[in-house]
Amino acid sequence: MQKHILVLGGSNEGFALAKTLQGHKNYTITSSLAGRTSLPKKPVGPYRIGGFGGSEGLKHYINTNKIDAIIDATHPFAQNITKNAAKAAGDTKCPLLHIWRPQWKRAAKDNWIEVPTMQAAAERLTKHHAPIFLTIGRLELAAFLPRTDLAFITRAIEPNQNEQWPKNFHFIYAKGPFDYNQELALIKKYNIKAIVTKNSGGPGAFAKIEVARTLNLPVIMINRPPKPKGNLASTPEEALNWLTNTF
Ligand code: NAP
């Protein structure tokens, strides 16, 4: 009998797993997306969109949909869904694996200022860094509101009509991945002097780090939250091995 796997996705790893497991003789898979954007990229195969309603909601989903295992392939900074998955999986005794992709490593030529939080990043910026490229998504932008003295170029996937931002925030809208030449052109166009980013890891968002390295621009790098406890894999391939060993 096929095992029903819930993949908490929205990431490259989640999409890759959905593609690999589609039509697999031993597994059926349902992908879950947070639903942050109006036109999300769709995974191969069945999927659902939107929050579960905390760990209790996720428990209900696991029981109702007879989920046999969960693969948490969410972004390394998406801590709430990861904690909820751990709680719900523990309570329902559902096997759980987190995909924890390797973080970016500082190279000799990198000019990184590593900070623990978004707020620390905002406090660390000086007028010499402006205009500053904020590539952190839109959820935590408010940390930079107190810096009315600095100009920000903020990249988001799409406009949000419900939000109003001060004039020192200039929005550009685009969806990654971005290659080196795209990032270089944008950084030159806006005369960017520093970049703020999370240490997301993976190839999709790395080009801006390479451009910063070439141009010797400072990168305010927000360090990773703590690694989740329990079963961990670095790649979709390792996650598949875990699945094969589990069932
Ligand atoms: P989060 O803070 O961990 O999640 C907040 C809530 O969103 C969760 O409690 C859950 O709602 C819902 N949720 C998140 N991922 C879900 C999924 N795959 N399926 C169903 N529900 C999901 O994560 P976030 O708010 O999405 O983002 C936090 C950080 O991660 C930000 O720094 C963001 O930039 C980064 N990030 C996230 C994604 C992504 O696809 N989620 C992608 C890139 C970057 P309920 O409690 O109601 O279940």
Side-chain angles (χ1 to χ4, degrees), residues 2-78:
Q2 285 185 315
K3 299 290 181 188
H4 188 186
I5 314 301
L6 174 65
V7 174
L8 302 171
S11 59
N12 285 339
E13 290 86 351
F15 291 119
L17 264 180
K19 197 169 169 193
T20 307
L21 288 174
Q22 179 63 20
H24 197 288
K25 66 180 177 8
N26 296 338
Y27 311 109
T28 56
I29 172 171
T30 302
S31 298
S32 176
L33 310 177
R36 296 267 171 262
T37 55
S38 60
L39 291 171
K41 178 178 170 183
K42 304 281 167 48
V44 174
Y47 64 90
R48 60 168 302 287
I49 301 187
F52 297 95
S55 64
E56 285 303 313
L58 183 51
K59 261 162 74 176
H60 180 71
Y61 184 90
I62 292 167
N63 289 328
T64 315
N65 292 280
K66 301 197 181 347
I67 299 297
D68 295 300
I70 304 175
I71 297 181
D72 168 22
T74 56
H75 192 270
F77 282 78

Side-chain angles (χ1 to χ4, degrees), residues 3 14 31 50 69 71 75 77 79 86 104 115 133 136 156 172 181 222:
K3 299 290 181 188
S31 298
I71 297 181
H75 192 270
F77 282 78
Q79 284 180 278
W104 297 322
V115 293
F133 188 19
I136 54 167
I172 49 177
N181 288 329
I222 296 146

